């Protein structure tokens, strides 16, 4: 719609915003009218109309099988559009049109804003299935007529009240018509069922909706007053009301077809099951986070016990082995701590990598600088946990074997994501040091120390990736990891 309005018309940005507000609301008008709606706007030179938006009803058959958006029609071809635009009134005169052997009644509703007519809504009703209307259909049509008059007067939609139609109640969910005092004059079967779910034992017709709704809600005090006002339809508002056995969503629309409030339209939806599922998900998420938090605490306890045991060891090799175990346990604890703060099983791994680097750097024998470049991005928990251990082992190996006591140097961890957004994405990790390098004849695929065994097992077994260690130029060692990862969301 933005492109069509800016290309073909003289409307301002504020006028365009008004049209957007109208289009966000007009599904209601279409459903109440049982009719298709097409929004026509005069072109810049005033010789034609351009259709900038279209809506089909959920309550009846469509009148247009084709998409009308973008069509241009010269002035004079559709007299009802001309009359509505020039005279600023709703035009219903004329015989039905025949489209593909289907009779269609056409009406034109001027779209007014601040005294100016911006365009015209063509309301097209398929007459093929016309029959004697029920009380529900009559209420729908009367409400549609009131809304159409408000659009023509510039009092609908309501400024600052843009509605999310996917989340708001629709006409078919449940509809109540109220008089000027807030008393229900008509309630659709779905609306009555929703209130019965809320705890109402009687009929709605003849009752003051605000008072009845407040009595069904368990809260008391100022909340009751707000519910009474909203359910009485005094202002365009939305709210949810929770009773002893159900939850309903309400939306009030004051009706002022001739400038004076004659009553209101209240839409309602039974959202009991939806809210129950949401609570279950929230409870599940909270339980998962609590589990991660407890696992983190238990791992930190294990690390503390291992650290305490290491201090009591007389053997230097035994003490060092326990300290390595402390760092391995600590790397896993970092992942669980991060997961305990998230709503899903995905983590931003850059923070974890930085903490692992800082933890392992504490064992540096000299002035060795450790730093990270590039981004790991967001990873699934099943990738983050083994990867944190792999990173710990590689860094620990570099700091222990690449540099002698007191020697300075540099260790750099770089990460690159490829195939971003695709299912075949890869994470390329390089750990480069400028230390003494690999000894002659060293084979990383067969080296027997525990750290490299852990790396090989995790990278090739759990992560499904590849691992290699190479001599770096002019000196040092380069470790390369290539791991498949799911796309970032």
């Amino acid at each position: 719609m933005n492109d069509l309005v800016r290309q073909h018309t003289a409307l301002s940005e504020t006028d365009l915003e008004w049209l957007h507000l109208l289009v966000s609301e007009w599904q209601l008008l279409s459903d109440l009218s049982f009719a298709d709606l097409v929004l026509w706007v005069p072109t810049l030179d005033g010789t034609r109309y351009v259709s900038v938006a279209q809506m089909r009803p959920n309550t009846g058959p469509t009148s247009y099988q084709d998409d009308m958006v973008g069509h241009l029609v010269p002035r004079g071809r559709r007299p009802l559009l001309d009359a509505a635009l020039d005279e600023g009134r709703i035009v219903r005169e004329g015989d039905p049109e025949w489209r593909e052997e289907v009779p269609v009644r056409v009406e034109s509703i001027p779209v007014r804003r601040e005294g100016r007519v911006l365009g015209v809504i063509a309301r097209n009703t398929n007459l093929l299935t016309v029959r004697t209307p029920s009380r529900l259909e009559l209420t729908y049509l009367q409400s549609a007529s009131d809304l159409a008059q408000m659009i023509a007067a510039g009092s609908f939609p309501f400024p600052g009240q843009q509605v999310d139609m996917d989340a708001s109640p629709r006409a078919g969910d449940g509809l109540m018509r109220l008089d000027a005092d807030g008393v229900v004059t008509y309630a659709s079967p779905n609306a009555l069922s929703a209130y019965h779910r809320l705890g109402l034992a009687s009929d709605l017709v003849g009752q003051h909706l605000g008072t009845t709704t407040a009595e069904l809600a368990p809260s008391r005090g100022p909340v009751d007053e707000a519910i009474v006002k909203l359910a009485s339809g005094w202002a365009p508002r939305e709210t949810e009301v929770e009773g002893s056995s159900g939850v309903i969503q309400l939306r009030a629309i004051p009706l002022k077809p001739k400038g004076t409030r004659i009553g209101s339209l209240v839409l309602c939806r039974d959202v009991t099951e939806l809210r129950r599922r949401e609570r279950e998900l929230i409870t599940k998420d909270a339980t998962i986070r609590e589990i991660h938090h407890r696992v983190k605490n238990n791992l930190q306890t294990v690390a503390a016990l291992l650290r305490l045991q290491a201090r009591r060891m007389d053997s230097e090799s035994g003490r060092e082995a326990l300290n390595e175990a402390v760092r391995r346990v600590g790397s896993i604890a970092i992942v669980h701590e991060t997961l305990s703060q998230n709503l899903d099983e995905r983590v931003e791994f850059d923070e974890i990598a930085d903490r692992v680097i800082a933890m392992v750097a504490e064992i540096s024998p000299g002035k060795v600088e450790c730093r990270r470049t590039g981004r790991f991005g967001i990873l699934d928990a099943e990738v983050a946990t083994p990867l944190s251990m792999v990173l710990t082992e590689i860094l620990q190996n570099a700091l222990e074997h690449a540099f002698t006591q007191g020697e300075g140097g540099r260790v750099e961890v770089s990460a690159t994501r490829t195939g971003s957004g695709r299912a075949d994405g890869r994470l390329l990790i390089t750990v480069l040091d400028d230390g003494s390098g690999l000894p002659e004849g060293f084979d990383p695929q067969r080296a027997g120390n525990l750290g490299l065994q852990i790396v090989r097992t995790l990278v090739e077994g759990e992560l499904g990736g590849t691992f290699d260690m190479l001599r770096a130029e002019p000196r040092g060692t380069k470790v390369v990891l290539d791991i498949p990862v799911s796309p970032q969301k």
Side-chain angles (χ1 to χ4, degrees):
M1 185 166 74
N2 287 351
D3 293 340
L4 289 170
V5 168
R6 289 167 181 156
Q7 179 182 354
H8 294 286
T9 78
L11 297 182
S12 65
E13 289 299 316
T14 52
D15 292 335
L16 179 57
E17 285 301 315
W18 183 262
L19 296 184
H20 274 294
L21 192 60
L22 172 65
V23 168
S24 73
E25 294 270 27
W26 71 343
Q27 178 72 65
L28 176 61
L29 177 63
S30 178
D31 290 344
L32 294 175
S33 303
F34 308 100
D36 290 72
L37 305 179
V38 180
L39 177 58
W40 297 93
V41 180
T43 57
L44 184 62
D45 57 9
T47 62
R48 295 181 296 175
Y49 298 97
V50 58
S51 58
V52 297
Q54 180 178 0
M55 178 58 64
R56 293 183 173 89
N58 294 317
T59 51
T62 183
S63 302
Y64 285 111
Q65 298 298 327
D66 299 326
D67 186 4
M68 296 296 296
V69 175
H71 282 216
L72 290 165
V73 173
R75 263 184 81 93
R77 179 175 296 180
R78 301 196 176 183
L80 297 187
L81 293 182
D82 298 338
L85 182 69
D86 297 338
E87 301 173 22
R89 65 180 180 88
I90 298 175
V91 181
R92 297 189 177 92
E93 297 88 351
D95 297 326
E97 298 181 3
W98 286 84
R99 299 175 189 163
E100 299 180 358
E101 300 183 356
V102 175
V104 177
R105 182 175 65 242
V106 181
E107 304 167 82
S108 295
I109 305 167
V111 178
R112 192 183 304 273
R113 174 181 176 267
E114 296 181 351
R116 295 184 301 112
V117 177
L118 307 181
V120 179
I121 295 175
R123 182 163 56 177
N124 303 268
T125 306
N126 187 325
L127 299 177
L128 196 60
T129 58
V130 169
R131 54 183 174 77
T132 303
S134 64
R135 178 74 188 281
L136 171 68
E137 292 167 330
L138 289 173
T139 303
Y140 272 32
L141 293 172
Q142 180 58 56
S143 301
S145 176
D146 293 335
L147 287 178
Q149 292 182 57
M150 291 169 65
I151 291 173
S155 57
F156 186 84
F158 303 108
Q161 293 290 325
Q162 186 156 357
V163 174
D164 180 2
M165 290 307 298
D166 291 331
S168 294
R170 299 193 177 192
D173 296 324
L175 176 144
M176 292 167 284
R177 180 77 186 228
L178 278 57
D179 64 16
D181 297 323
V183 176
V184 180
T185 59
Y186 177 78
S188 71
N190 283 348
L192 188 58
S193 296
Y195 266 80
H196 284 169
R197 184 72 177 269
L198 201 62
L200 181 69
S202 59
D203 195 1
L204 274 171
V205 175
Q207 297 199 43
H208 188 278
L209 186 63
T211 303
T212 301
T213 305
E215 290 173 352
L216 295 171
S219 57
R220 294 292 178 266
V223 177
D224 280 357
E225 296 179 9
I227 291 176
V228 169
K229 285 189 176 181
L230 185 142
S232 299
W234 287 96
R237 294 285 187 274
E238 286 193 37
T239 192
E240 282 190 9
V241 179
E242 183 168 358
S244 57
S245 58
V247 184
I248 63 171
Q249 186 179 12
L250 296 176
R251 182 190 177 199
I253 303 170
L255 297 176
K256 304 176 182 178
K258 297 181 180 179
T260 303
R261 181 174 170 277
I262 63 169
S264 57
L265 200 61
V266 178
L267 307 179
C268 69
R269 174 190 292 170
D270 183 351
V271 293
T272 305
E273 293 303 316
L274 178 63
R275 296 298 174 257
R276 182 185 61 80
R277 289 195 296 269
E278 287 177 352
R279 290 190 184 107
E280 288 178 352
L281 289 174
I282 291 171
T283 301
K284 179 182 176 183
D285 289 340
T287 302
I288 292 173
R289 289 198 298 273
E290 179 63 21
I291 289 172
H292 284 303
H293 182 71
R294 293 189 182 189
V295 170
K296 182 263 297 184
N297 288 344
N298 290 339
L299 290 172
Q300 289 180 337
T301 300
V302 172
L305 292 173
L306 291 173
R307 196 177 296 112
L308 182 62
Q309 185 66 40
R311 291 172 185 162
R312 294 174 176 269
M313 292 286 291
D314 295 329
S315 168
E316 181 65 29
S317 60
R319 184 162 51 249
E320 183 54 37
L322 287 175
N323 285 331
E324 288 181 2
V326 168
R327 287 187 285 274
R328 288 166 184 149
V329 172
S331 66
I332 302 174
I334 290 172
V335 177
H336 282 283
E337 181 180 2
T338 306
L339 287 169
S340 71
Q341 300 168 359
N342 290 353
L343 293 176
D344 55 17
E345 292 291 289
R346 293 168 67 83
V347 295
E348 177 62 64
F349 196 80
D350 295 317
E351 179 186 351
I352 294 175
D354 290 341
R355 293 179 63 180
V356 167
I357 291 171
M359 177 183 68
V360 178
E362 294 176 359
I363 69 168
S364 172
K367 298 179 180 179
V368 179
E369 176 192 359
C370 298
R371 67 190 184 103
R372 171 181 64 86
T373 61
R375 291 192 69 248
F376 288 85
I378 298 174
L379 299 177
D380 294 329
E382 57 264 28
V383 174
T385 301
L387 182 58
S388 67
M389 286 195 66
V390 168
L391 196 57
T392 300
E393 295 299 331
I394 294 174
L395 290 170
Q396 191 167 275
N397 188 70
L399 292 173
E400 285 183 353
H401 302 294
F403 306 97
T404 59
Q405 186 70 34
E407 182 184 9
R410 177 177 58 85
V411 178
E412 181 177 300
V413 179
S414 63
T416 305
R417 293 286 284 262
T418 62
S420 179
R422 301 204 310 263
D424 59 347
R426 314 287 299 184
L427 175 59
L428 304 178
I429 305 169
T430 303
V431 181
L432 179 66
D433 69 67
D434 57 358
S436 57
L438 298 174
E440 289 294 333
F442 180 83
D443 184 357
Q445 302 302 326
R446 297 189 179 185
N449 73 68
L450 178 60
L452 288 182
Q453 288 181 19
I454 291 174
V455 170
R456 283 199 301 270
T457 300
L458 292 177
V459 171
E460 297 172 2
E462 289 200 31
L463 297 174
T466 60
F467 156 73
D468 200 6
M469 294 182 73
L470 311 166
R471 287 182 177 274
E473 295 296 337
R475 57 172 291 177
T477 304
K478 180 167 73 171
V479 179
V480 180
L481 304 175
D482 184 352
I483 300 169
V485 291
S486 60
Q488 302 191 71
K489 297 179 182 179

